[in-house]
Amino acid sequence: MKSSSLLAMSMLAAACLLPATALAQDDASLWVGVSGGFAGEFNGEWDSQVRIGDIMVNAGDAIKDVDMETSWGGMLHYDVGVHPNIAIGGRLGYTSFLDRDRADEGWGRNSVVDLNFAPRFRFSPAGAAYELYLGVPLGLSVVIFDEDWRRKGNVDFDPGLGFNVSGLAGVKLELDERFGLFAELGWTLHSFRLEGQTSGTVFNGVDVGLDGDFNQFAVNLGGTFQL
């Protein structure tokens, strides 16, 4: 992974941890949950560099509107109130995903790890034991394609880097002074770039790239723990 990518991830991690050190308030909390993605589509574009004699030819193909299988994963979220109507924090997420075409052929699932800055715009009626909010997590993604791409697809991909953004409507319910529950519903987008080489084919060792993205309806459920 390039040094510039590592620097960007380090800066985002520092931004996500800033609330824990500089903005801590009475309502700092840790959220732990499971996540799911439903419906949605995968789109992408292949590109490759093929040598013909002394000439390098760029060959590519588009992937259009491929249906997604249900995705699943989990999340860890640190949340700090900085205003009665605003909370900010950091969110670490994991998602296992696969498109419908690869699923029908029995391929293994791919993985994406998200490191996000996660602001929330919240509202709670006076004296209520619940909080309504709109969350907008956004940040960097590390994408790892399953080994079946090498075994069945004859492409050996390196881990890729991209970004993700979500729009989530949620509710947080306080069970007591320390514990609560939350539920979120919305939409999420992942976009990424993968690079690798072909293997086991006539064009063995050809450099291959894939620019891809997928979007899904998102559901997150879990518990909150006051710190």
Side-chain angles (χ1 to χ4, degrees):
M1 206 172 287
K2 296 182 179 179
S3 58
S4 59
S5 298
L6 292 175
L7 177 60
M9 294 185 69
S10 299
M11 293 175 64
L12 181 62
C16 291
L17 294 175
L18 176 63
T21 57
L23 299 173
Q25 296 197 359
D26 291 341
D27 59 349
S29 58
L30 183 67
W31 303 31
V32 180
V34 296
S35 58
F38 304 93
E41 296 176 336
F42 181 91
N43 290 277
E45 185 170 357
W46 291 95
D47 64 75
S48 59
Q49 296 291 325
V50 181
R51 179 177 293 278
I52 301 178
D54 294 329
I55 302 175
M56 295 298 295
V57 178
N58 184 54
D61 192 17
I63 305 170
K64 294 291 187 181
D65 303 330
V66 179
D67 291 338
M68 293 289 295
E69 289 286 289
T70 298
S71 301
W72 51 262
M75 49 165 283
L76 185 66
H77 177 106
Y78 180 81
D79 193 73
V80 175
V82 296
H83 180 275
N85 299 117
I86 300 175
I88 62 175
R91 177 173 293 197
L92 177 67
Y94 168 81
T95 301
S96 169
F97 70 96
L98 188 63
D99 66 87
R100 186 71 52 81
D101 288 351
R102 303 291 87 72
D104 290 342
E105 297 171 3
W107 290 36
R109 285 176 166 265
N110 309 307
S111 298
V112 56
V113 177
D114 299 324
L115 179 62
N116 290 346
F117 174 65
R120 291 192 308 119
F121 305 94
R122 56 187 186 168
F123 170 75
S124 180
Y130 65 89
E131 178 180 277
L132 304 176
Y133 63 87
L134 175 64
V136 191
L138 70 162
L140 295 176
S141 298
V142 178
V143 180
I144 302 174
F145 268 22
D146 187 79
E147 280 293 299
D148 276 340
W149 278 91
R150 177 179 58 82
R151 292 192 292 259
K152 299 180 180 181
N154 296 320
V155 180
D156 188 8
F157 279 119
D158 296 325
L161 191 64
F163 72 90
N164 71 93
V165 61
S166 301
L168 302 168
V171 57
K172 176 185 174 187
L173 176 64
E174 296 181 3
L175 300 180
D176 57 31
E177 293 182 355
R178 293 293 306 278
F179 303 105
L181 299 173
F182 75 91
E184 300 175 339
L185 176 66
W187 169 89
T188 185
L189 168 71
H190 285 84
S191 181
F192 55 86
R193 167 74 179 182
L194 291 174
E195 295 183 350
Q197 289 188 330
T198 59
S199 60
T201 67
V202 175
F203 297 105
N204 185 43
V206 174
D207 292 331
V208 176
L210 174 63
D211 292 304
D213 65 71
F214 66 94
N215 61 85
Q216 290 185 295
F217 293 106
V219 178
N220 302 321
L221 305 170
T224 66
F225 307 88
Q226 204 75 14
L227 302 178

